[in-house]
Amino acid sequence: MAPCAQMGSGRLSRGLLLLCALLGHEFCHVGATVEDFGQEARTSPPGPMYNITDELVEEIYTNLTHRCWESFVQVMQNVTGAQLCEWKVISRPYSSLQQCLEDWADNLKYSYPNALAESYIFQSHHRYFQNCSAGSQAYFDPPEDVLLAMIIAPICLIPFLVTLVIWRSKDGKAQP
């Protein structure tokens, strides 16, 4: 879909008009012209300017991100409880949600990441992936005696290797 922002020529793109029709907002001017792909559209005088307020962009983004969320929820209904923690299964829907949120923000020239997108991501984690970290293995430090041995062994080995190198280099024979 075309970006929902002022275009360089001051004309509305076809995708933006379609977006206006789908969302049902009355912010599209009746006198606005559609940017055509022909040469005559590029050379014609600029049409009326199109100004979108920040509040309107936020409202549009809110509606579109809600559709992203509904699509994600619909896809996740097909995932069983046992599959929720398998990345191979949930990566596509999760990535699609994230991509949808990011693409609409880019199209609307809205900052990303933003609070609304983060709330949907947090909501997805809370609703679907809350128990996934419980099954993963927690890493702990080794016991002190093992850790001490792992630290002291290389320290003791270094002087031995230095002594070996010096002893081998003192025999005075030419090395081939």
Side-chain angles (χ1 to χ4, degrees):
M1 231 182 218
C4 188
Q6 181 176 345
M7 308 219 16
S9 66
R11 298 174 178 273
L12 296 178
S13 69
R14 291 180 185 174
L16 183 59
L17 288 177
L18 179 61
L19 178 64
C20 294
L22 287 175
L23 295 177
H25 290 287
E26 298 299 322
F27 61 85
C28 294
H29 299 295
V30 176
T33 58
V34 176
E35 180 177 330
D36 195 6
F37 296 107
Q39 180 64 25
E40 64 279 352
R42 289 190 196 109
T43 58
S44 61
M49 294 302 289
Y50 183 66
N51 189 12
I52 298 179
T53 63
D54 290 341
E55 293 83 20
L56 190 56
V57 170
E58 189 168 348
E59 181 181 345
I60 293 170
Y61 185 69
T62 301
N63 292 335
L64 292 172
T65 55
H66 186 70
R67 290 182 185 178
C68 295
W69 173 252
E70 288 174 343
S71 174
F72 175 74
V73 169
Q74 184 178 6
V75 171
M76 290 302 289
Q77 288 175 347
N78 299 327
V79 179
T80 64
Q83 296 175 323
L84 282 177
C85 296
E86 294 181 31
W87 180 245
K88 290 180 180 180
V89 175
I90 57 113
S91 66
R92 186 174 302 250
Y94 185 81
S95 297
S96 295
L97 172 65
Q98 185 177 4
Q99 190 68 37
C100 182
L101 297 171
E102 187 173 354
D103 286 347
W104 282 118
D106 287 345
N107 288 341
L108 295 171
K109 308 264 189 278
Y110 196 70
S111 65
Y112 187 87
N114 54 59
L116 186 58
E118 285 182 6
S119 71
Y120 281 120
I121 296 295
F122 286 141
Q123 187 175 355
S124 73
H125 283 247
H126 180 71
R127 186 171 178 178
Y128 295 104
F129 315 122
Q130 184 175 9
N131 297 324
C132 289
S133 60
S136 66
Q137 181 182 4
Y139 296 105
F140 298 103
D141 289 336
E144 270 189 46
D145 54 345
V146 174
L147 186 62
L148 190 59
M150 291 174 65
I151 293 172
I152 291 178
I155 293 172
C156 293
L157 191 60
I158 291 172
F160 171 73
L161 292 174
V162 168
T163 305
L164 183 64
V165 168
I166 292 172
W167 177 65
R168 292 293 298 161
S169 63
K170 282 190 173 185
D171 65 357
K173 295 180 183 176
Q175 300 289 330

